[in-house]
Amino acid sequence: MSLETQAITIAAVGALGIGAQWAAWRTGWPAIVLMLAAGFIAGPITGLIDPEAAFGDLLDPMISIGVALILFEGGLSLDLRELRHSGKAVWRLATIGVLVGWTLGALSGYYIAGLVWPVAVLFGGILIVTGPTVVIPLLRQANIQTRPNSILKWEGIVNDPTGALCAVIAYEYFRRLNEFPNASVFDVAPPLLIAAVLAGLIGYASARLIAWLFPRGAIPEYLKVPVLFIAVIGVFVLTNQIEHEAGLVAVTVMGVTLANREVSSMRSIHPFKENIAVILVSGIFILLAASLKWDELTYLQTSWRPLAFLMALLFLVRPATVLISLLGTDIPWNERLFVAWIAPRGIVLVAISGLFALRLGELGIAGGQILTGLSFAVVVVTVIAHGFSVDFVARLLKVKGDTRPGVLLVGSTPWTVALAKEMRAVGTPVLIVDQSWQRLGRARLEGLPLYHGEILNEATEHNLDLSPYQVLVAATENEAYNALVCNEFAHEIGRDMVYQLGENEGSESRTSLPESIRGRALFEDGFDAGAVNQRIADGWIFKKTKLSEEFDFADAQEKLAEDASLLLLLRESGTLRFFTHAVRPKPRAGDTVISFVPPKSAQKASL
């Protein structure tokens, strides 16, 4: 295949993968389903992309390195300090649940799906993963209560690498048996354990070396991400020389170790590694979907076994795994049942299945070729079944959290306390965060939800669930600190959802903060913290006005004083839209307009 064809294939894979991700963002549909559809159309249906013809022998190492980087990124998400706050449930699911799920998955694969034992055992290990890239957006969209949300989130993060390790163990065991048919378990297991431990130690030592070098200036800032990137690939390739696929163990341990070391540079690396993960996830998924062959899908179309296997996975394997694992815990039964139902699979399942399908074929084990198609079927069925039912099941089992997006107010001031009272009055969840217990006195007197701590401290991430809050307003009297907070949370919440007080003078002024690091400036008048707090002292209040077909936005503006300022719109769904320098949301019937008005405006409105 020519270099030009390979380049076109790479460009097409990238465009389809990222395009599917964008379409998922615009439509709210699961990205993984759209990527599957795009890859399937481009591959088996139209033949526009043929990865095996384009890349030949390079396809296998490309997928292997991509899976390694994805598992490393998953390991970087596993902060054990935060995991401790999820209680015993996650630990049980990560230990008892792994053993039960692996056993039931393997038995279902053999007796129901009709897979041969090596394929069934390997696939049963892979099925442990629940896919945080699918679970977390699903839980955020459904707005689930904190405890079941935390259990499902951390189960997905922990079991992603665990499922990969189970697959590695199963593959290596059967590979050894394939080489030495008369070998016993005692002949095969010890070398595997030694290789896994050695690979893990190499990954651990590499992470410790990076954690030692980065803070000491041994590597310049602009090279830290490339060095980390190449180090992961190097560790993966090196440890694979010890034992096939031992590199997956090494990079997982490497990621978990770095996540739990105090490395200041890692915070700046997180956005890049997440971007790399998105690109890799998109690319590998499109490649694997496009690599499917019609004859590999015949098994799914002509036999009753795949459908029966999928039903067993949904209604037997997953519920039994969770309910057995959580026996004897203090988790309420409604939460146990909810966790037992929700288990969508994601990219790691498909990527690892595709990788080991190639490996099993090399060993001559029958049935490996249908593993990729079956894994795609598992992903589609679980994403659709759990994605479309999560809201209904959550309501039925009464595990729904607040249905409205919340507001996080940074800084306890007279203005933020008054705004918090107004938000609570209209049913919007609100939380005031401040590092000063004295300043929080105002919020305590009003009985408002509060958090005493530094919002930028990592301890806050481990002790405070920020998922219910989709809008952040930084309103301390220090504009530079407000900008720092907004810049820190812009990646997580969204640049358009972080706001601060103070006028943005623009890039022309040498004394102003750059717009690229500031939050969106509240109020068209450019009030800073001192100005709004002085107005509160002068008697200014927040005034809410309900719009209707008969009483529109123009009518509401006529009733406001000239010096009154529009603050935000509250949609009937609970969505918040703030008035800023740059954006004026369009009010419509049913919206509630909240304004910041002087005393005379309030008196005028009451006449």
Side-chain angles (χ1 to χ4, degrees), residues 397-477:
L397 296 175
K398 299 180 180 178
V399 295
K400 288 281 286 185
D402 291 312
T403 56
R404 290 172 174 263
V407 179
L408 188 66
L409 299 173
V410 180
S412 181
T413 67
W415 185 79
T416 57
V417 169
L419 177 59
K421 290 171 61 179
E422 189 67 24
M423 292 290 94
R424 191 169 64 169
V426 296
T428 297
V430 66
L431 180 71
I432 298 177
V433 180
D434 203 301
Q435 62 178 335
S436 169
W437 185 250
Q438 181 180 3
R439 285 196 296 268
L440 284 169
R442 305 183 186 93
R444 293 199 306 272
L445 288 175
E446 296 291 345
L448 295 169
L450 56 88
Y451 177 80
H452 178 219
E454 170 54 61
I455 189 68
L456 297 175
N457 195 314
E458 282 193 15
T460 299
E461 297 180 25
H462 307 142
N463 293 285
L464 181 63
D465 180 18
L466 298 179
S467 57
Y469 308 102
Q470 299 179 18
V471 175
L472 180 145
V473 176
T476 72
E477 295 182 355

Side-chain angles (χ1 to χ4, degrees), residues 116-159:
V116 296
W117 268 122
V119 179
V121 172
L122 188 144
F123 196 42
I126 301 174
L127 287 172
I128 292 168
V129 304
T130 54
T133 56
V134 183
V135 171
I136 293 174
L138 194 68
L139 296 174
R140 186 183 297 120
Q141 181 181 357
N143 200 13
I144 305 302
Q145 290 176 3
T146 301
R147 182 163 51 191
N149 186 313
S150 179
I151 292 172
L152 286 166
K153 167 190 169 183
W154 283 107
E155 182 202 11
I157 292 174
V158 172
N159 283 355

